[in-house]
Amino acid sequence: MNNLLLKLTDSLRNTANLGKLTGAVKIEIDGHGVIVADRSGVTNDDADMACVLQTSIDTFQQLLAGSLDLESALGQGKLSLSGDEDVAVSLAQAFAPVGAPRFSSSADATEIAQAIRRHGAAIVENAAPVDTIDTIASQLRPHFDTIGKEPQSDFNGYTTLRLSEVLMRSRASADLIGHDLVTAIADEILLQHCVNYRIGSCTGIEIWPGESAQRLHQDGSIYPMNIPGVEWQISALWALSDFTEENGATRLLLNSNNKITPLLRVEQALTVPAEMPKGSVLFYMGSTYHGGGANNAEAPRMALVNTYALGWLRQEENMYLSIPREVAKSYPEKIQRLMGYQSCGPLLGYIATDEHIGL
Ligand SMILES: O=C(O)CCC(=O)C(=O)O
Ligand SMILES: [Fe+2]
């Protein structure tokens, strides 16, 4: 048996979360031999197995390193699968991180963006002062209480309050919407495909006890097509209260972003909760499957989720109509631009009398 195979066998034993496996899987590595793994361990003893993967040494190394995920490898034809798909799905889970990658607020935007690209999501802990968060929560409170039930629906839930027109209801929300780390990360993800981007929507979401888990979905599916490698938008979801699994922390299907073929499985059991303290922000791609969690706690969970979309796309929320012009005018230029008071390039969205703002 060659040394490389032994090394990779060890690496699988030590790095993968084999407890996730629902059965035994045989991995045939071209020209090197086989690795057989199940919940109890890893061997190189060849035997018939219900689930067989066949791949190259390069691809297997990338899977182990986390730089490629199993479903992408399958979609790209770098791996073939026969037999029990459920076991293959559980192996994909064994390679996925146990939770969303986490960073401190001093982390580098490029590094955070890299983690978001790789795993579909990342959390930056304590990215805003608790005072700012409490101010926003108290500015939104009366609106949640008066009109928060209006958007209730099968998708939004019936024990959840929601608000749009956020910049009109909470001046302090601008601190999060225009937060420098958020826009630095949005720059990294979006500016590959546009000269500038805008807010898609800003939504306050308060999940009350008794709410069940929201259907898993991709926020980017408001745009009716996909281009492989292009994200239409990124979401920054702020915890305005502590997020715990029990109180409805957002559920994430890690590694579900940017797939060229449909995922093998999209189900709640495969998701992880974005647990984070108040003032933290969760980033996820427009293509990342996620949903609000079930709230089984005693108190509500509050979030502000802001999306940032390529500048040549229509905005999800019509900011020109939802935020009165006088209110828009009162914000700093960075926020005005994010609201849409700028053109994308010289022509798209231009007005005759002003080069960008029109306010
Ligand atoms: O509230 C949450 O945690 C997520 C909500 C969400 O994803 C949505 O409504 O699109
Ligand atoms: Fe969503």
Side-chain angles (χ1 to χ4, degrees):
M1 188 167 319
N2 70 42
N3 279 341
L4 185 53
L5 186 70
L6 286 176
K7 222 171 116 202
L8 295 178
T9 306
D10 263 350
S11 174
L12 179 66
R13 192 176 283 124
N14 298 331
T15 59
N17 188 359
L18 295 177
K20 296 254 181 186
L21 288 176
T22 57
V25 57
K26 176 157 77 169
I27 303 156
E28 295 177 349
I29 302 179
D30 302 340
H32 289 268
V34 302
I35 302 179
V36 172
D38 66 13
R39 212 180 292 202
S40 64
V42 183
T43 71
N44 299 103
D45 304 334
D46 199 357
D48 285 344
M49 293 292 153
C51 175
V52 180
L53 298 179
Q54 196 211 339
T55 191
S56 68
I57 196 92
D58 281 356
T59 300
F60 190 63
Q61 278 175 316
Q62 288 175 45
L63 290 172
L64 282 173
S67 57
L68 178 68
D69 64 88
L70 194 143
E71 289 175 302
S72 294
L74 204 53
Q76 292 165 20
K78 292 179 173 169
L79 187 147
S80 67
L81 163 66
S82 57
D84 190 332
E85 236 179 48
D86 283 333
V87 177
V89 169
S90 73
L91 182 65
Q93 289 289 305
F95 285 128
V98 287
R102 302 180 89 85
F103 296 89
S104 77
S105 59
S106 59
D108 177 48
T110 307
E111 228 178 279
I112 301 168
Q114 181 62 26
I116 301 169
R117 272 193 212 98
R118 190 173 280 187
H119 296 299
I123 290 170
V124 178
E125 291 184 342
N126 305 312
V130 164
D131 288 4
T132 306
I133 297 297
D134 289 345
T135 303
I136 297 169
S138 65
Q139 288 172 341
L140 295 179
R141 179 78 270 142
H143 304 287
F144 272 125
D145 292 339
T146 47
I147 56 165
K149 287 189 175 176
E150 284 172 14
Q152 289 183 341
S153 65
D154 289 350
F155 179 77
N156 291 336
Y158 294 98
T159 317
T160 293
L161 307 178
R162 286 173 81 108
L163 289 173
S164 51
E165 303 164 325
V166 165
L167 279 163
M168 188 176 74
R169 307 188 189 288
S170 165
R171 282 203 75 75
S173 69
D175 288 359
L176 303 188
I177 292 166
H179 191 287
D180 287 341
L181 181 61
V182 172
T183 52
I185 290 168
D187 286 355
E188 295 265 346
I189 304 283
L190 301 175
L191 292 184
Q192 302 171 52
H193 305 296
C194 57
V195 293
N196 56 43
Y197 54 84
R198 304 178 288 176
I199 304 163
S201 60
C202 301
T203 314
I205 302 178
E206 190 172 54
I207 301 181
W208 279 73
E211 184 62 272
S212 48
Q214 186 182 37
R215 175 170 65 75
L216 297 172
H217 61 278
Q218 300 163 296
D219 285 353
S221 68
I222 49 168
Y223 301 110
M225 61 178 293
N226 295 307
I227 301 177
V230 181
E231 286 291 345
W232 301 138
Q233 62 174 55
I234 179 165
S235 299
L237 187 149
W238 289 87
L240 301 187
S241 57
D242 290 338
F243 271 37
T244 63
E245 175 157 28
E246 197 192 4
N247 78 6
T250 310
R251 309 288 314 189
L252 298 164
L253 185 56
L254 294 173
N255 293 357
S256 62
N257 53 304
N258 190 28
K259 293 287 177 284
I260 52 173
T261 49
L263 290 164
L264 294 172
R265 295 274 188 290
V266 174
E267 29 186 79
Q268 293 285 352
L270 302 178
T271 63
V272 295
E275 295 198 305
M276 53 183 171
K278 172 161 93 171
S280 306
V281 56
L282 162 69
F283 293 92
Y284 53 89
M285 293 291 204
S287 64
T288 304
Y289 278 94
H290 68 282
N295 189 338
N296 298 311
E298 305 281 301
R301 180 231 77 173
M302 197 194 287
L304 173 62
V305 55
N306 306 315
T307 70
Y308 300 80
L310 302 181
W312 41 266
L313 290 169
R314 181 161 192 193
Q315 285 160 286
E316 183 175 9
E317 183 180 358
N318 188 325
M319 293 288 160
Y320 310 112
L321 297 177
S322 70
I323 309 298
R325 208 171 160 130
E326 289 313 307
V327 176
K329 243 180 185 170
S330 70
Y331 279 112
E333 184 177 328
K334 180 175 186 182
I335 300 295
Q336 293 176 358
R337 286 179 175 273
L338 284 171
M339 271 190 267
Y341 292 96
Q342 65 181 343
S343 61
C344 183
L347 289 176
L348 195 58
Y350 87 99
I351 59 166
T353 53
D354 189 299
E355 83 282 13
H356 65 268
I357 294 286
L359 274 169

